[in-house]
Amino acid sequence: MVQTIPIRVKEVREPRSVQELQDLVRAACADRRTLVPTGQGTKLHWGNAVPEFDLLVKMTAFDAVVEYHPADLTVTVQAGARFSEVQELLKENGQWIPADPPYSHQATVGGVVACNSDGPLRFGYGPVRDSVIGMRLVHGDGTVSKAGGKVVKNVAGYDLCKLYAGSFGTLGILTEISFKLRPLPEATETVLATFGSFPEVYEAVSRILRSPLLPVALVHLSPEAALSRGLQQAHTLLVRLAETAEGVAWQREALRAWLPGFDLAPGDDLWERCMERDERFPVTLRASVPVKELAALYAELEQIAESEIVSHPGTGRIYAHAPALPEVRELRGAAQRMGGSLMVERAPEGWKRNVDVWGFSNAAELELMRTLKARLDPHHILNPGRLF
Amino acid sequence: MDRQLIRQLKQIVGERYVLSDPAEMYVYECDGLTLHRKPPSLVVLPETAQQISEIVQLAEGRSIAYLARGAGTGLSGGALAVQGGLILQMSRMNRILEIDLDNRCVTVEPCVVNLDVSKAVLPHGFYFAPDPSSQMASTIGGNIAENSGGPHTLKYGTTVNHVLGLDVVLSGGRIVQLGGKSSDRLGYDLVGLFVGSEGTFGIVTKAILRLSPIPQKVKTFLAAYSSVREASQTVSDIIGAGIVPAALEMLDRLTIQAVEDSVYAAGYPRDAEAVLLVELDGLEAGMERLAERIVALCRQNAATEIRIARSNEEREKLWAGRKKAFGAMGRLMPGLYVQDAVIPRSSLPELMPKINAIAAGHGIAVANVFHAGDGNLHPNLLYDGQDPEQIQRVLQAVEEIMKLCVDAGGSITGEHGVGFEKKDFMPMIFSPEDLDIMGRVKSVFNPTGLCNPQKIFPTSKSCGESGIPYKIQYKTLDGKTEEIFRI
């Protein structure tokens, strides 16, 4: 639960229509007041520390399902609808948006898309971005525009959905999003295996990745992370299977033969627990490297970070908790040398003031991003400073 | 074109690699869309990103339009040199630079042929998923420009879902690296934005592509019908049953006849009004049951024949007919206008007869071969290019079909791109504000507008029908005023 707003704002506004939102943005634009768009506020702690914003724009009134066409496998919902409630609706027709973002019970569709927020299922289904087929939004100068459309395949004009997904509300405020859907898998199951060290985990993952198996997610828990989730204190690999019933059974048996300490995960709630962010630690880092570098990065992290580490070895991502600032810089340097990145996903504000939360390392990319922002939010009133 | 420019270009790429003979220019006067033709003034064949950077600087210094061209298989006039100018023919940049199996990716130059990527990694158990029908000829650079699809888009997505990183040359000769092998990117997804920009943002000089594991089992079958409506209904029923086939394609009678009369004869039943090609892929376990379910759905919709490919050869034959259908249609008429509209897939049974009726109303024969599973239509309008009156009727039919699809909630293009061909259809689906935002985004990458001009955006009516770029002022982050050109 998000009890308090982790950023400072002067006023909170809750527009009830696109017209109200547009008026609000135009007025703010005229007075150069800054805006923070938000849904349920689950990810307001992400991004750089900014001393104060003028307006928090809560999009929770935009919670309608605009169109749902089960036969076309498409749905259009307003940005403030809760992600989990949309999934519940889709489930009635055996469909879903194939994604498992954190804070999924609270988070809104707009927030999930604006942050391109995802979980381990990204390995099997791609980022949330890939499910988005259309959007409507209000830009920083009050222009209302749409991107994409409502059909599953569409290359008319630039695919600006790709630009807006993950833009953290810095280019426009999302009001409506269209998704392409998938049928829910017939069967799902999570199996687990235990190992003596991370390199052994990585070996097992490499073998799976070169096999005909089609797991949809891979999660590794360090011994301490496994323990705190009620499992045996050992390096643990969770493999999520989602297929036909026969397909799941066949993969389970293949893994049983390959993996040491093979076991069936005790129910789906373990999987849920692995998805949620661990908020006992004040600082959460997200490091991402090409998959091949995982073991090397993990070795660096083991030296420095707190002991509970969760990684998604299929996509090359590691979540860890850092004790102090110099370590962050050191780890970031290591990740960057490996062709990756390291961002501080969560940290106390005082901490954030002394560190670049994102750690952009490609100056040319950053310059293009800044120019894009200047063109779509010419007065820099949308979330200024959160991203850059 | 002045001698000094030719001399300077030769200094950059070497004597042999600048073409300026007017006769040679006719090779480059169009791409796969032959309705529109315009020879460039010069063709230059660069070998490195650095050379491209220098060429771009030279062209921009003289306000000469330029564009990159691969195999010229595009179907929307994307590689058409509308203003003459310079074509950068990328043929020399055709190397596979690295195969990195641990990271499941390859790094290639832009003129590597799509199918050659898969051929290079097949022995290792991988392939490159996007499979446009042109894949034996079309290049990765072109696939990236158009965000190419193909029959297997239904399950595996389009090119954008398979590109991890790009090296590009932008306006001013800037060489920029976007993305990389790590699947997480910080900030805006510039790779995702660049893919599908139809060569109007800049020139790709290198691409990191994601590889997919070869499916354990593939099952391909053909179902024949005595009506398009029954075939269309089967498509809706398969999707409705929660099955995502790897591909779900339809060919109609005229297409079947053309294929069967050609060297690509695939053994499609000649008396059928429609044929569906269905492919399942993935794990062997459970596939048989899904296949039986699909066969039952075909029967339920009165399929007259169902045939399952029993060997790889049989499978390839079934696919060859589909992928070569465009070529086979050359037998029917000299001119072929391939339409690319998309409709919500559930409206297939209702709209297919209407499309055929529109064409018939204009006295134009239409052969349909398309990606039924995702509602991406390809009505092929057949005409004689020597007859201007027929061309007018084709264009009229195209516009009416487009309108029908848009009114049904669809789009004007599913995979071929807007290019030069469909730019004046853009206002059918995008408001002036939507187009304004796209224009602002374009201006970030291509502020001079000289990189592949007069594509995507409708012919300007706001500035006296002139089509002349106009200027807009913006404030940059550090408070400076900047002028950009809009086209």
Side-chain angles (χ1 to χ4, degrees), chain B residues 251-332:
Chain B
L251 298 82
D252 74 356
R253 185 183 185 89
L254 198 52
T255 309
I256 295 166
Q257 307 279 347
V259 169
E260 289 307 307
D261 285 339
S262 76
V263 293
Y264 311 116
Y268 300 151
R270 279 173 176 274
D271 54 346
E273 283 298 323
V275 153
L276 278 187
L277 273 184
V278 190
E279 187 159 282
L280 290 173
D281 75 3
L283 298 177
E284 188 169 359
M287 190 179 286
E288 197 53 47
R289 181 167 54 83
L290 289 188
E292 283 166 14
R293 184 86 200 275
I294 290 176
V295 166
L297 291 170
C298 293
R299 293 237 160 83
Q300 189 183 308
N301 285 295
T304 52
E305 183 184 344
I306 295 166
R307 198 189 301 161
I308 297 179
R310 273 170 302 241
S311 65
N312 213 24
E313 290 69 41
E314 283 189 18
R315 170 176 180 259
E316 275 171 16
K317 205 171 164 195
L318 286 181
W319 272 115
R322 163 64 186 91
K323 292 207 170 184
K324 301 292 184 183
F326 294 118
M329 283 175 203
R331 304 177 59 83
L332 300 173

Side-chain angles (χ1 to χ4, degrees), chain A residues 79-322:
Chain A
R82 283 185 205 234
F83 194 77
S84 57
E85 286 174 11
V86 174
Q87 295 283 48
E88 282 302 316
L89 169 76
L90 303 174
K91 198 174 167 185
E92 288 169 20
N93 286 290
Q95 300 177 345
W96 68 319
I97 301 165
D100 55 350
Y103 322 108
S104 63
H105 295 292
Q106 282 272 313
T108 61
V109 167
V112 168
V113 170
C115 301
N116 198 17
S117 168
D118 57 27
L121 285 177
R122 175 180 176 154
F123 173 69
Y125 298 104
V128 170
R129 167 202 96 149
D130 288 359
S131 294
V132 175
I133 55 174
M135 291 176 172
R136 287 184 184 276
L137 62 168
V138 179
H139 298 282
D141 58 359
T143 305
V144 176
S145 85
K146 80 161 193 199
K150 289 179 178 173
V151 281
V152 298
K153 196 173 173 192
N154 186 2
V155 295
Y158 303 136
D159 187 359
L160 299 182
C161 296
K162 300 286 186 293
L163 174 63
Y164 303 140
S167 65
F168 289 87
T170 60
L171 299 173
I173 302 176
L174 297 172
T175 59
E176 191 180 298
I177 302 157
S178 301
F179 294 92
K180 61 176 175 180
L181 309 172
R182 283 195 179 235
L184 277 167
E186 192 181 291
T188 54
E189 197 170 290
T190 305
V191 305
L192 61 82
T194 51
F195 301 85
S197 69
F198 185 78
E200 289 171 44
V201 176
Y202 179 74
E203 274 310 304
V205 168
S206 297
R207 181 164 181 190
I208 292 170
L209 293 186
R210 287 183 180 226
S211 77
L213 269 60
L214 300 171
V216 291
L218 299 161
V219 173
H220 155 258
L221 305 172
S222 71
E224 293 74 16
L227 187 66
S228 75
R229 284 161 181 82
L231 299 169
Q232 185 194 335
Q233 187 172 5
H235 281 281
T236 304
L237 177 67
L238 300 161
V239 184
R240 182 81 167 163
L241 306 171
E243 263 289 332
T244 57
E246 298 93 325
V248 165
W250 179 80
Q251 293 186 91
R252 179 210 310 132
E253 295 314 309
L255 290 169
R256 190 194 299 276
W258 287 358
L259 299 177
F262 173 92
D263 203 352
L264 297 181
D268 268 359
D269 58 320
L270 169 68
W271 187 252
E272 299 270 324
R273 270 178 283 145
C274 294
M275 295 317 91
E276 291 307 327
R277 296 291 194 268
D278 198 331
E279 304 201 336
R280 289 172 297 148
F281 298 89
V283 178
T284 303
L285 308 177
R286 187 193 86 182
S288 303
V289 289
V291 174
K292 193 181 171 181
E293 310 294 340
L294 257 183
L297 181 67
Y298 194 88
E300 302 257 355
L301 273 165
E302 256 181 332
Q303 299 292 316
I304 295 169
E306 306 267 2
S307 51
E308 289 207 15
I309 301 175
V310 176
S311 71
H312 302 170
T315 48
R317 191 188 282 181
I318 304 183
Y319 291 99
H321 307 286

Side-chain angles (χ1 to χ4, degrees), chain A residues 374-375 378-380, chain B residues 473-477 479-482:
Chain A
R375 297 285 154 79
H379 300 296
H380 309 296
Chain B
Q473 287 194 340
Y474 281 97
K475 284 253 188 327
T476 62
L477 265 183
K480 282 185 289 196
T481 303
E482 196 181 85

Side-chain angles (χ1 to χ4, degrees), chain A residues 69-74 93-95 116 118 122-123 129-130 136 139 141 143-160 162-168 170-171 180-184 186 202 206 208-214 243-248 250-251 286-293 314-317 336 339-343 358-362 364-380 387-388, chain B residues 100-104 126 146-147 149-150 153 155-158 160-161 163 170 174-179 181-193 195-198 200-201 210 213-214 216 236 239-240 242-244 282-283 285-287 289-290 340 342-347 371 373-376 409-418 426 429-431 433-434 436-445 455-457 474-478 482-484:
Chain A
H69 302 288
D72 296 324
L73 287 170
T74 58
N93 286 290
Q95 300 177 345
N116 198 17
D118 57 27
R122 175 180 176 154
F123 173 69
R129 167 202 96 149
D130 288 359
R136 287 184 184 276
H139 298 282
D141 58 359
T143 305
V144 176
S145 85
K146 80 161 193 199
K150 289 179 178 173
V151 281
V152 298
K153 196 173 173 192
N154 186 2
V155 295
Y158 303 136
D159 187 359
L160 299 182
K162 300 286 186 293
L163 174 63
Y164 303 140
S167 65
F168 289 87
T170 60
L171 299 173
K180 61 176 175 180
L181 309 172
R182 283 195 179 235
L184 277 167
E186 192 181 291
Y202 179 74
S206 297
I208 292 170
L209 293 186
R210 287 183 180 226
S211 77
L213 269 60
L214 300 171
E243 263 289 332
T244 57
E246 298 93 325
V248 165
W250 179 80
Q251 293 186 91
R286 187 193 86 182
S288 303
V289 289
V291 174
K292 193 181 171 181
E293 310 294 340
T315 48
R317 191 188 282 181
Q336 289 176 344
S341 62
L342 183 144
M343 67 168 265
W358 300 96
F360 287 100
S361 58
N362 182 335
E365 271 194 330
L366 190 57
E367 194 198 322
L368 288 169
M369 291 178 200
R370 286 180 188 278
T371 317
L372 280 162
K373 176 151 174 68
R375 297 285 154 79
L376 300 189
D377 176 24
H379 300 296
H380 309 296
L387 200 50
F388 41 72
Chain B
D100 180 352
L101 299 177
D102 290 319
N103 289 317
R104 293 212 207 191
F126 291 98
E146 303 300 328
N147 188 16
T153 301
K155 183 169 175 184
Y156 295 103
T158 53
V160 70
N161 304 120
V163 179
L170 303 179
R174 279 179 295 170
I175 300 177
V176 178
Q177 201 177 36
L178 308 175
K181 288 183 182 176
S182 174
S183 59
D184 280 312
R185 294 157 193 154
L186 294 172
Y188 307 153
D189 180 5
L190 299 178
V191 174
L193 177 63
V195 176
S197 58
E198 304 198 29
T200 65
F201 282 1
R210 196 162 69 86
I214 298 173
Q216 186 183 28
S236 290
I239 300 290
I243 301 171
V244 183
L283 298 177
M287 190 179 286
R289 181 167 54 83
L290 289 188
D340 182 41
V342 188
I343 56 171
R345 46 194 141 198
S346 60
S347 49
H371 312 302
D374 40 29
N376 186 188
S411 172
I412 59 172
T413 174
E415 56 182 11
H416 296 169
V418 176
M426 284 288 274
I429 50 172
F430 291 114
S431 71
E433 288 78 20
D434 304 338
D436 167 63
I437 294 293
M438 283 188 206
R440 295 191 212 176
V441 170
K442 173 179 168 176
S443 73
V444 171
F445 295 90
K455 305 291 163 67
I456 300 178
F457 293 88
Y474 281 97
K475 284 253 188 327
T476 62
L477 265 183
D478 40 13
E482 196 181 85
E483 267 186 348
I484 59 161

